[in-house]
């Protein structure tokens, strides 16, 4: 595998993981993912920025030999999670003179997680610089996108920023620089939904900071790199997704055991669409969680459709509500529609799960068995309430 040239002094030495079908055992991938690693060559020193997912360590180290990299002075660890730090011990072993250069939080993590010896770590602070001989690396702490240990590294002379997970995507590639497409946008959005959306305000802050820096190249740790028109592409996507305002979209995840909840969901969908509101109806049992995550990025309202199981909400609906609560989308309103057989509490657990979003709850509708005339009237009220909420935000 030949390393690919990014700039005069930067080489890409990452690996495509075409076979990976799920990330964090949570979000299905359409197009695999990549683990990006970079080599920066100064006149005197050579640095590696982030390393490799442990599964690929052997292939990664072999590629250094194949590309004639016979010494490494510094291993810059922008983040301690093992898809980037996992090959640090092997790299230290291969290059006995190398030191890991990183912040105190990453240092603590790699000592605990990878047993990296303290005397092989050089701890830096915010805005500290490292001279490679004619090339200077500047370290910018960026806690919260997405771990407390995250930092960015700027190659000053070439105006290249290495942002680790921030601005990354699940998208394998042949050409290292991003070519904007719907497929890539979905890979970036799915990645944003799982990894960055829980930290939306910090993502917004660092997007603005990177725009202000006016960099020439962005090198994340997953997915392609960005330059020229790609810079505007990635930054404007992040500006859109991190904005406080959602889209004129209702996300309607539902689980229906005997068809009653589905009938209610269909009715609500039809009513909302008739009022000019976009609806993404999501079958909780058969749907792709990636589609749900993508819709969560933009939805202004979430309506959960829930069947009762054993006096409580269906566990699959609870799972989706919990995930929504964890990912903290920008949705401002939420409601629940549901059906039960003999009794129980349908809504409390769902409301508890989505509480981190702090939504305004629009009056839920619960029916026994199949929805009847009075129930449809209540659903009409719900649809109208959501319409008024969206109208008040200027969305319709
Ligand atoms: Fe791609 Fe937080 O690791």
């Amino acid at each position: 595998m030949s390393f690919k040239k990014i700039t005069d002094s930067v080489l890409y030495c990452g690996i495509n993981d075409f076979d990976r079908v799920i990330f964090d055992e949570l979000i299905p991938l359409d197009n695999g993912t990549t683990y990006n690693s970079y080599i920066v060559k100064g006149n005197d020193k050579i640095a590696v920025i982030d390393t490799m997912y442990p599964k690929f360590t052997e292939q990664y180290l072999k590629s250094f030999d194949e590309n004639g990299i016979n010494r490494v002075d510094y291993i810059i660890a922008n983040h301690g999670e093992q898809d980037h730090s996992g090959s640090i011990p092997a790299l230290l072993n291969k290059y006995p003179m190398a030191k890991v250069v990183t912040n105190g939080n990453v240092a603590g993590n790699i000592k605990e997680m990878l047993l990296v010896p303290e005397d092989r770590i050089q701890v830096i602070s915010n805005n500290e610089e490292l001279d490679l001989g004619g090339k200077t690396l500047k370290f910018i702490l960026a806690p919260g996108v997405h771990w407390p240990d995250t930092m960015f590294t700027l190659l000053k002379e070439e105006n290249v920023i290495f942002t680790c997970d921030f601005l990354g995507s699940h998208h394998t590639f042949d050409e290292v620089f991003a070519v904007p497409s719907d497929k890539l946008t979905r890979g970036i959005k799915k990645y944003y939904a799982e990894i960055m959306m829980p930290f939306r305000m910090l993502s917004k802050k660092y997007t603005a900071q990177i725009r202000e820096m006016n960099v020439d190249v962005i090198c994340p740790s997953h997915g392609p790199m960005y330059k020229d028109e790609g810079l505007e592409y990635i930054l404007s996507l992040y500006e859109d997704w991190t904005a406080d305002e959602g889209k004129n979209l209702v996300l309607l995840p539902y689980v229906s055991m005997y068809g009653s909840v589905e009938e209610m969901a269909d009715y609500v969908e039809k009513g909302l669409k008739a009022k000019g509101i976009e609806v993404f109806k999501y079958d909780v049992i058969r749907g792709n969680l990636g589609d749900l995550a993508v819709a969560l990025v933009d939805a202004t309202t979430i309506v959960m459709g829930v069947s009762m199981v054993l006096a409580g909400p269906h566990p699959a609906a609870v799972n989706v509500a919990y995930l929504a609560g964890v990912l903290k989308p920008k949705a401002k309103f939420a409601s629940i529609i549901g059906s039960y057989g003999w009794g129980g509490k349908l809504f409390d657990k769902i409301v508890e799960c989505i509480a981190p979003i702090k939504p305004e709850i629009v009056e839920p509708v619960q029916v026994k068995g199949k929805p009847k005339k009075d129930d449809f009237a209540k659903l009409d009220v719900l649809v109208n309430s959501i319409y008024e909420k969206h109208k008040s935000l200027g969305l319709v």
Side-chain angles (χ1 to χ4, degrees):
M1 182 187 76
S2 289
F3 292 165
K4 293 179 175 166
K5 184 175 172 179
I6 305 297
T7 64
D8 284 346
S9 64
V10 179
L11 292 170
Y12 174 74
C13 54
I15 290 176
N16 279 312
D17 188 351
F18 296 107
D19 298 329
R20 190 151 184 184
V21 294
I22 192 161
F23 202 79
D24 288 344
E25 304 300 86
L26 183 61
I27 301 292
L29 304 180
D30 304 325
N31 190 26
T33 194
T34 75
Y35 315 105
N36 297 350
S37 178
Y38 303 92
I39 290 173
V40 183
K41 289 183 173 178
N43 293 330
D44 305 322
K45 305 284 187 186
I46 294 178
V48 173
I49 299 186
D50 291 323
T51 65
M52 186 49 57
Y53 188 52
K55 176 182 166 187
F56 292 104
T57 295
E58 194 178 329
Q59 179 183 338
Y60 176 65
L61 294 186
K62 194 167 159 225
S63 71
F64 277 60
D65 295 331
E66 290 167 351
N67 287 273
I69 306 297
N70 50 26
R71 69 168 243 254
V72 168
D73 300 285
Y74 302 115
I75 301 165
I76 313 302
N78 277 334
H79 171 37
E81 196 164 11
Q82 292 176 50
D83 50 339
H84 310 297
S85 64
S87 299
I88 287 176
L91 212 53
L92 285 172
N93 195 41
K94 184 176 177 69
Y95 300 103
M97 300 303 289
K99 282 213 163 197
V100 179
V101 177
T102 191
N103 64 73
N105 283 331
V106 171
N109 286 336
I110 61 175
K111 279 191 276 188
E112 296 282 351
M113 295 173 187
L114 300 166
L115 306 180
V116 175
E118 187 149 8
D119 63 359
R120 300 292 303 272
I121 301 174
Q122 179 178 329
V123 174
I124 51 81
S125 52
N126 193 29
N127 292 326
E128 195 169 327
E129 297 184 354
L130 182 70
D131 181 19
L132 303 180
K135 304 293 173 197
T136 314
L137 297 179
K138 179 177 178 180
F139 307 107
I140 302 163
L141 301 192
V145 286
H146 64 130
W147 277 23
D149 70 2
T150 304
M151 69 179 192
F152 304 152
T153 296
L154 178 71
L155 171 57
K156 286 174 70 176
E157 289 77 7
E158 294 182 349
N159 213 15
V160 180
I161 192 161
F162 302 87
T163 54
C164 199
D165 281 316
F166 191 57
L167 307 176
S169 61
H170 293 309
H171 187 85
T172 49
F173 54 81
D174 293 322
E175 299 298 325
V176 286
F177 289 107
V179 178
S181 68
D182 289 346
K183 188 176 178 184
L184 175 56
T185 300
R186 182 174 159 81
I188 303 168
K189 195 170 190 177
K190 203 187 278 196
Y191 183 94
Y192 167 81
E194 189 209 339
I195 312 288
M196 297 297 158
M197 188 163 68
F199 313 101
R200 183 170 64 85
M201 296 315 290
L202 287 168
S203 298
K204 187 177 187 172
K205 171 186 155 182
Y206 290 116
T207 302
Q209 187 174 324
I210 290 173
R211 185 178 279 288
E212 183 111 333
M213 290 169 75
N214 209 17
V215 296
D216 291 324
V217 184
I218 295 172
C219 294
S221 291
H222 297 278
M225 285 106 258
Y226 300 92
K227 70 172 183 178
D228 301 330
E229 72 274 12
L231 294 166
E232 185 56 36
Y233 169 64
I234 185 69
L235 292 176
S236 58
L237 285 176
Y238 262 63
E239 283 162 352
D240 179 21
W241 299 334
T242 59
D244 294 337
E245 306 77 28
K247 302 283 194 294
N248 185 27
L249 171 68
V250 172
L251 171 61
L252 210 174
Y254 72 97
V255 54
S256 185
M257 290 165 63
Y258 287 100
S260 298
V261 175
E262 187 168 21
E263 190 178 348
M264 296 168 79
D266 288 347
Y267 188 82
V268 168
E269 178 188 28
K270 197 171 159 194
L272 289 169
K273 283 184 171 172
K275 289 183 174 295
I277 297 173
E278 193 184 342
V279 179
F280 179 68
K281 193 148 59 70
Y282 175 79
D283 182 333
V284 165
I285 303 301
R286 294 161 195 84
N288 178 316
L289 216 50
D291 294 335
L292 178 87
V294 164
L296 279 170
V297 173
D298 294 324
T300 292
T301 301
I302 301 169
V303 178
M304 292 285 307
V306 191
S307 289
M308 182 91 79
V309 175
L310 297 173
H314 193 290
V318 174
N319 183 45
V320 163
Y322 178 77
L323 180 65
V326 168
L327 297 183
K328 290 194 192 151
K330 65 177 79 164
K332 289 186 167 51
F333 311 107
S335 190
I336 306 161
I337 56 176
S339 172
Y340 65 96
W342 49 263
K345 286 192 172 177
L346 199 50
F347 300 148
D348 292 2
K349 179 55 83 179
I350 301 291
V351 170
E352 180 190 324
C353 288
I354 61 175
I357 306 171
K358 299 185 180 143
E360 178 184 336
I361 302 292
V362 183
E363 186 64 28
V365 178
Q366 176 173 305
V367 310
K368 179 173 171 63
K370 284 181 74 63
K372 296 162 257 322
K373 191 176 171 190
D374 285 357
D375 303 316
F376 286 118
K378 289 178 188 165
L379 292 175
D380 287 336
V381 171
L382 172 63
V383 165
N384 210 46
S385 298
I386 293 171
Y387 169 74
E388 291 298 333
K389 304 282 182 200
H390 280 225
K391 197 173 159 196
S392 72
L393 296 176
L395 297 174
V396 277

